[in-house]
Amino acid sequence: MFPYVVFALLFAFGCVTHPSHGAEVKVKDKDDKLCLYANVMVNFSVSYMTSENKTELAEFELPSEVMSSGSKCDKTSSTLNLNFGAGHSWSINFTLDGNVYQADSITFSYNLNDSSIFPKSVLTDTLSVNMRPQITDISMNTCYSCKSEETIQSDSVNQTLWNVLIEAFISNGTQSENLTTCSADLNTTPTASPTTVAPVTNTTTSTHAPTTSPAPTLPTPTTGRFTIKPDENSTACLLANFALRIGVKQGEKYQEINLDPNMTTVSGSCGVNTSELVLVSNAMTIALTFVNDTKKFRLQAVNVTASLSSGVVFSEANSSLTLWEAAVGSSYMCNKEQNYTITSQLNLFTFNLQVQPFAVKKGVFSTAHECPLDDTSILIPIIVGAALAGLILIVVIAYVIGRRKTYVGYQTL
Ligand SMILES: *[C@@H]1O[C@H](CO)[C@@H](O)[C@H](O)[C@H]1NC(C)=O
Ligand SMILES: *[C@@H]1O[C@H](CO)[C@@H](O)[C@H](O)[C@H]1NC(C)=O
Ligand SMILES: *[C@@H]1O[C@H](CO)[C@@H](O)[C@H](O)[C@H]1NC(C)=O
Ligand SMILES: *[C@@H]1O[C@H](CO)[C@@H](O)[C@H](O)[C@H]1NC(C)=O
Ligand SMILES: *[C@@H]1O[C@H](CO)[C@@H](O)[C@H](O)[C@H]1NC(C)=O
Ligand SMILES: *[C@@H]1O[C@H](CO)[C@@H](O)[C@H](O)[C@H]1NC(C)=O
Ligand SMILES: *[C@@H]1O[C@H](CO)[C@@H](O)[C@H](O)[C@H]1NC(C)=O
Ligand SMILES: *[C@@H]1O[C@H](CO)[C@@H](O)[C@H](O)[C@H]1NC(C)=O
Ligand SMILES: *[C@@H]1O[C@H](CO)[C@@H](O)[C@H](O)[C@H]1NC(C)=O
Ligand SMILES: *[C@@H]1O[C@H](CO)[C@@H](O)[C@H](O)[C@H]1NC(C)=O
Ligand SMILES: *[C@@H]1O[C@H](CO)[C@@H](O)[C@H](O)[C@H]1NC(C)=O
Ligand SMILES: *[C@@H]1O[C@H](CO)[C@@H](O)[C@H](O)[C@H]1NC(C)=O
């Protein structure tokens, strides 16, 4: 009851007038209509390593001057992408489910080569962190408003969001006057008179916990299609489709990093006895070595080098593996998520995997040898079938024995 009273008071403001001076962005759709509005303030705190081997903390704000290229609106998903400074970006994804929408993830990329923010950084890469904000249950055609601070923490980046005003999925080009207010704001609003009549609205409050931040969870990595050609005019000699994530242990700390296939350069070679696939992205370099064992091929070596969010460069390799084994002339396939332990400090996770490192014909995959785990759906009917067959056999035997007894019985009479 009480929160609705507060809503009645807030209706007057709406999405349109807002007193803050954050980064304000208006995204338009294909028909040049406003489809996403945002006015946000974000403070960043990033720890990084300097060339003197010290950990420094860089604290900076999202400037009000931002570029919104890369933002887009679709029917049920939209992305707000803010580029700022020397190669930094902050992007947030929304999805619409029925009558409510939510923010799924925030991806913050920071360019350590920007010495005005990260002086003396030992790394010069652009690193990304992915976090899940508590911006959920926003009613369609309302504007999410949260003046309170929400801090989202990860290993080396803390982000504080405040004075947030966002409307995603604006339906007909006009911003809504109605708000979905975060509960943190509701708790600090002066108490309203209990005699005020509460209007009936469909606006929901988001359950918003500003002090507790959830463990960031990575989205499933995107599936990439990687091919190696012996020369530019030939068809592929090595085919590999997969989505890949690495899990890295460093003492007490464990970090997972997704391979972004769109930001990956592919190289490698095809041989008679050995083929190699090398993938280089911002976050990692991974080399996969396949061997041809006369009749079968297998993944024999994995070498991963990654720059961790702590600034440490991590490198692990194992060259005595027997994974992804199949007959030469066929491909190896495994759709389900797989967790491979490469070394005690490195795990490899794959999704939608299909590889053929030898004997590729016409640039397409040959018959696939599927991994055992994918077969569990077939295994269950087999087990049930076998059990049924066993049961029928027992009944038949029992019947035969039963008939024999009665037959014997007649004879003795
Ligand atoms: C954000 O940073 C600015 C200056 O860098 C500071 O004045 C402000 O108080 C900070 N806000 C929060 C919520 O931390
Ligand atoms: C950096 O510090 C770590 C531990 O504090 C030490 O093991 C390493 O040798 C240092 N590296 C350099 C280049 O000083
Ligand atoms: C956000 O959406 C964009 C565009 O749809 C997509 O490329 C990107 O992978 C999404 N990011 C996350 C973290 O889901
Ligand atoms: C993030 O916040 C926590 C708690 O306030 C603090 O311990 C940690 O050092 C912060 N990390 C960064 C990178 O600012
Ligand atoms: C947009 O919505 C408003 C009210 O919700 C309505 O009056 C207006 O006709 C709509 N415009 C279009 C182009 O549909
Ligand atoms: C705001 O909510 C009220 C009550 O539900 C509704 O009558 C009104 O049309 C809404 N305004 C907009 C712009 O959606
Ligand atoms: C509000 O909710 C009621 C039922 O919960 C529904 O019948 C009505 O259509 C909703 N109104 C709007 C504007 O979504
Ligand atoms: C590929 O084909 C083009 C045009 O047919 C030719 O100019 C080029 O030399 C060829 N390259 C190789 C490596 O054979
Ligand atoms: C990757 O690129 C393809 C086409 O170049 C595009 O369709 C896809 O949305 C991109 N995916 C991501 C995650 O950026
Ligand atoms: C695999 O190795 C065998 C023996 O070394 C060789 O005869 C065969 O041609 C190789 N297969 C491919 C596809 O290179
Ligand atoms: C792994 O790759 C790195 C760089 O790509 C290289 O320096 C290192 O020697 C490789 N390790 C093994 C065991 O091959
Ligand atoms: C992957 O496997 C290792 C070793 O079996 C296990 O410790 C780890 O929890 C697994 N990771 C995931 C995400 O399932």
Side-chain angles (χ1 to χ4, degrees):
M1 209 49 175
F2 168 62
Y4 294 124
V5 177
V6 179
F7 271 123
L9 300 176
L10 290 173
F11 276 141
F13 300 103
C15 210
V16 190
T17 54
H18 197 262
S20 83
H21 304 285
E24 187 181 42
V25 180
K26 293 176 180 178
V27 180
K28 292 187 172 170
D29 62 13
K30 295 185 285 293
D31 310 323
D32 209 34
K33 271 194 189 159
L34 181 70
C35 62
L36 198 163
Y37 171 85
N39 192 329
V40 293
M41 296 180 105
V42 187
N43 279 19
F44 301 100
S45 160
V46 178
S47 73
Y48 68 101
M49 294 288 289
T50 66
S51 45
E52 287 145 11
N53 207 5
K54 277 200 301 217
T55 306
E56 285 288 342
L57 204 61
E59 287 179 298
F60 56 103
E61 279 180 273
L62 181 70
S64 50
E65 293 287 304
V66 295
M67 303 281 287
S68 60
S69 53
S71 301
K72 62 182 175 112
C73 305
D74 283 323
K75 280 231 149 40
T76 55
S77 69
S78 61
T79 303
L80 174 69
N81 188 47
L82 307 182
N83 303 301
F84 62 98
H88 313 292
S89 74
W90 189 79
S91 97
I92 174 164
N93 275 12
F94 299 92
T95 51
L96 177 66
D97 186 8
N99 226 3
V100 293
Y101 64 95
Q102 63 171 21
D104 288 327
S105 66
I106 292 181
T107 306
F108 170 51
S109 302
Y110 52 103
N111 178 7
L112 288 170
N113 206 11
D114 179 358
S115 56
S116 64
I117 292 180
F118 306 105
K120 295 183 184 165
S121 170
V122 66
L123 286 182
T124 53
D125 311 49
T126 299
L127 301 185
S128 281
V129 286
N130 208 297
M131 305 184 189
R132 183 173 278 269
Q134 286 291 301
I135 302 179
T136 56
D137 286 325
I138 311 163
S139 303
M140 184 64 187
N141 289 324
T142 69
C143 187
Y144 174 80
S145 166
C146 198
K147 294 190 171 58
S148 307
E149 292 169 19
E150 177 187 354
T151 300
I152 316 170
Q153 296 179 5
S154 77
D155 212 20
S156 50
V157 176
N158 287 359
Q159 305 182 35
T160 304
L161 277 68
W162 47 305
N163 278 338
V164 173
L165 200 56
I166 294 177
E167 183 174 4
F169 307 107
I170 298 175
S171 49
N172 81 358
T174 43
Q175 281 164 244
S176 173
E177 315 235 314
N178 293 348
L179 295 179
T180 292
T181 308
C182 65
S183 55
D185 280 3
L186 293 177
N187 297 339
T188 57
T189 313
T191 42
S193 157
T195 52
T196 313
V197 178
V200 179
T201 75
N202 288 12
T203 326
T204 53
T205 52
S206 71
T207 43
H208 186 249
T211 45
T212 59
S213 76
T217 50
L218 280 180
T220 309
T222 316
T223 304
R225 297 172 185 282
F226 311 106
T227 53
I228 303 289
K229 292 178 177 180
D231 60 71
E232 55 174 322
N233 292 344
S234 308
T235 58
C237 59
L238 183 154
L239 298 172
N241 291 356
F242 51 72
L244 186 138
R245 170 185 296 160
I246 59 170
V248 171
K249 257 186 241 122
Q250 285 263 290
E252 296 283 281
K253 284 189 181 165
Y254 176 74
Q255 187 183 359
E256 292 187 348
I257 309 173
N258 283 350
L259 177 77
D260 182 356
N262 275 13
M263 309 289 251
T264 300
T265 52
V266 185
S267 60
S269 61
C270 302
V272 174
N273 295 320
T274 327
S275 289
E276 196 180 30
L277 176 66
V278 181
L279 304 173
V280 181
S281 77
N282 268 343
M284 68 181 90
T285 297
I286 171 161
L288 303 174
T289 309
F290 300 89
V291 295
N292 161 14
D293 228 356
T294 330
K295 289 214 170 72
K296 281 182 164 184
F297 70 82
R298 63 174 195 270
L299 174 66
Q300 189 182 49
V302 171
N303 181 355
V304 172
T305 309
S307 31
L308 304 183
S309 58
S310 58
V312 174
V313 175
F314 166 96
S315 188
E316 282 286 305
N318 183 344
S319 48
S320 54
L321 299 166
T322 303
L323 297 173
W324 306 355
E325 206 172 16
V328 171
S330 68
S331 63
Y332 179 84
M333 185 162 138
C334 204
N335 283 321
K336 291 224 179 83
E337 175 176 356
Q338 299 294 311
N339 173 357
Y340 304 104
T341 301
I342 304 301
T343 70
S344 58
Q345 275 155 40
L346 175 68
N347 278 59
L348 207 66
F349 303 92
T350 61
F351 309 77
N352 303 324
L353 170 79
Q354 186 168 14
V355 291
Q356 186 166 350
F358 298 99
V360 175
K361 291 206 179 69
K362 294 181 186 152
V364 295
F365 282 113
S366 309
T367 337
H369 170 86
E370 285 199 49
C371 61
L373 264 179
D374 275 7
D375 294 339
T376 44
S377 53
I378 303 166
L379 217 61
I380 291 164
I382 290 174
I383 292 167
V384 171
L388 270 178
L391 203 67
I392 290 167
L393 203 70
I394 289 168
V395 170
V396 167
I397 291 169
Y399 174 77
V400 168
I401 291 171
R403 267 193 64 138
R404 253 195 160 161
K405 273 204 175 139
T406 41
Y407 184 67
V408 170
Y410 274 120
Q411 264 197 341
T412 46
L413 261 174

